Amino acid sequence: QLSLWGNKLVGKIPSSIGNLMRLKEVFFDNNGLTGQIPSTIGFLKELEKLDLYDNELSGSIPKEISDMSSL
C-alpha cells in the first residue's frame, strides 16, 4: 500500500510509479498533484484501489488503466 493522501504534495506523479509492480492500493487523493496520470500505472497488475480525487490532474485516463481487470 502507498498512502500519501492529504500530504499537500505538488507536481506530477512520477512515471517510475510503474516500477512498484506489487502495489495493491495507491492513495494520492487530497493533494495538489498536476499533469497527466502516467500510463505506467498500467504496470501495477495487482492494483485493486487507486484514489486520485481532489487533485489538479489533467488529460484523459490512460488506456492502460482501463485495461486493468483488478481495479
Side-chain angles (χ1 to χ4, degrees), residues 5 11 15-16 18 20 27 29 35-36 38 41 46-47 51 57-58 60-61 65 69:
W5 62 272
S15 60
S16 59
L20 305 173
F27 301 101
D29 47 299
Q36 296 185 339
I41 284 183
E46 297 182 25
L47 194 63
D51 286 348
L57 297 168
S58 60
S60 58
I61 297 172
I65 291 176
S69 60

Side-chain angles (χ1 to χ4, degrees), residues 49 53 61:
K49 293 183 182 182
Y53 64 90
I61 297 172

Side-chain angles (χ1 to χ4, degrees), residues 21-32:
M21 296 188 287
R22 302 212 49 189
L23 278 178
K24 292 190 177 192
E25 299 179 341
V26 175
F27 301 101
F28 284 159
D29 47 299
N30 198 20
N31 283 293

